[in-house]
Amino acid sequence: MNLETIIPEMAASVNWKLEGKHLLSEDLRKKALSVLENMPFPTTRTEAWKYTRLAKIRNGNFVARQEQLASNRHQIDLNAISLVFVNGHFASNLSSSHFPDGIKLLALSQMEVMELSVLGNTLPLEGELFNAFNTAYATDGVYLHISANMHIKPVIEITHIVTGTNTISHLRNVIVAEAFSKAHIVQQYVTENANTCFTNVVTEVSVAKNAFLTIDKLQYEDESCFTIATEQVTQATDSNFTINTLTLNGGLVRNNLNIAVNGQNCETHLNGAYILKGSQHVDNHTVVDHTVAHCVSNELYKGVIDEKATAVFNGKVFVRKDAQKINAFQSNGNVLLSNDATVNSKPELEIYADDVKCSHGSTTGQLDDEAIFYLRARGIGEKAARQLMVGAFVGDVFGKLTNEAVKTRVDQLLQERFEWDFVG
Amino acid sequence: MLKIENLHASIDGKEILKGLNLDVKAGEVHAIMGPNGAGKSTLASVLAGREEYEITEGTVAFEGKDLLEMATEDRAREGLFLAFQYPVEIPGVSNVNFLRTALNEIREYNGQEQISAKDFMALVREKSAIVELDAKLASRSVNEGFSGGEKKRNEIFQMAMLDPKLAILDETDSGLDIDALRIVANGVITLKSDKNATIVITHYQRLLDYIVPDFVHVLYDGKIVKSGPKELALELEEKGYDWIKAEFQH
């Protein structure tokens, strides 16, 4: 493997050994590299990173590394079509090799140069350091194309496994749902014997006319690891896009969801749950950009934060001029379980049209002591009472999950990490 | 069943119970009446284990065990039930789910097997009928959006489900219209047996027309100052509490 060190003259100077594999077109790579040359690492003075310190990522001595695993012990749905990546590289030995009609599913590394040359253009690079790193240094990722009118019944499960110490992974996924198609994707991020690793993943999603696409994004990485995960989504007329982001472990997790709703009569659903403890830091940034009229977007994020963990929610909804008759709702709720837990919640609406129905709200509180006493007075132990209350609080987000296998896995992970038993 | 001796309790340094004695045996119904501020609800809170109250003196034995040493949930598991004056709304927790958890924790504590889903639902149907509680309410979030009467009926429904040895009804009658009062009282009477006991804490006599007490106690200034048969309640209704105050003011 050919390792490249980032040239020290770059503004975003880091001591990372990255793999010099050029996946996307040379033009795109040049643009990305020029961003890296000129752009310093963001600090907390940068508005988009105000509450998230990147020092541990900037100062990390990360190294790209390949590893072969003998088995995938993370598979959620046994009937799923499964693709597995380890440290940013396709693991063909762990992945499905037969696919139903109507989908093209493979690793970018298996694609022809010509096919690759047209990918990757929807992602903004200017001013976006991690997008630029990803575009210049992505080693592999998924290419999923769902043909028009096809309903893919099995879940498409994409598993990113990270192993080792200080491993850096750059993954680039491309998902295209053609007109009138329907599919359900599960993307999960997990680790095995990993320590202080960094993953920077970008998923570009195109939802064509009247397509229905659901993504469950399940994050369960080691508490010492860092992840920045960006979904760049465009929706065409009459389409329906749902993403459920469930963050159950990970040291520093930043999710960027950028949804451009470019066609009329679209529905967009963003649901998120984050359950944190220790010194975890989880930051959800979402942008829903309504550029045209007659669309609905609905955003529900809920967090439970214990010990010294910190959560950030920054949700922005734009309603552009002439994007009339938009219904946009956004809600973020947090429960703090300890005195040292912190949340920074910032819901934002920017509306330039005059005939819209929009609302946003944010609540942060503690569990109701009176309710806990009531439950205990009926014979329920204190721990179980608190768990019932927490489960009731985040239950409406977990209730959005439609795949039984995903629900069961979420239940298992909550049981494993918190000894909680919510989803039922 | 319950023996309270010389109980003193205070909150924020202020003494509310000042040497209360009470002896309740299986099969009995005791009414505790008294003016506002006498300490009626404090007594209920202390027995249920509210941690805000400090016990400075006295003992409470429940079936021979030291009640004051037990956590709130263990008191419930031992068979003590408090019907709350102000039942709490718990959004997102279904009544049925919560009761199944409670029932199973109580059974586990007492070395019994978990109840099957089928038996549990049969029990819900049987017991909700006692207080004429709509089966739909049973599956909704605990008390959320319930009317005042529905909340009180839900308390008695929970009592029926958990089948306690000792039930303490804290002002269960307050705020109820006459029909709801009759339903709640009928529920309590139906559940009464010679193995369990009931303490009815009330401000008004009218509940005692339905739930006829074996003993009536007057609580005033943190102590039981007068005890008598059920006729005492009528006397209190007629004369008010002023004569008690006059008699015991110091």
Side-chain angles (χ1 to χ4, degrees), chain A residues 368 370-385 388-389 391-393, chain B residues 50-51 72-73 76-77 81-82 84 88 90-93 98 102 105-106 143 155 158 162:
Chain A
D368 178 358
E370 190 57 27
I372 289 171
F373 179 75
Y374 188 79
L375 296 172
R376 291 177 66 198
R378 297 295 175 256
I380 298 175
E382 182 165 7
K383 191 174 162 229
L388 260 180
M389 297 286 295
F393 176 72
Chain B
R50 267 194 203 276
E51 282 154 13
T72 294
E73 52 269 36
R77 292 162 181 172
F81 182 92
L82 172 66
F84 280 58
V88 184
I90 314 181
V93 175
F98 140 70
E105 287 212 22
I106 291 170
N143 294 324
E155 292 295 287
Q158 291 174 32
L162 302 180

Side-chain angles (χ1 to χ4, degrees), chain B residues 26-37:
Chain B
E28 293 176 351
V29 175
H30 289 246
I32 294 180
M33 303 185 71
N36 288 329

Side-chain angles (χ1 to χ4, degrees), chain B residues 232-248:
Chain B
L232 178 58
L234 291 168
E235 196 180 343
L236 287 167
E237 182 77 359
E238 202 176 301
K239 296 199 212 159
Y241 290 105
D242 288 346
W243 63 282
I244 301 272
K245 289 183 189 173
E247 199 170 326
F248 293 95

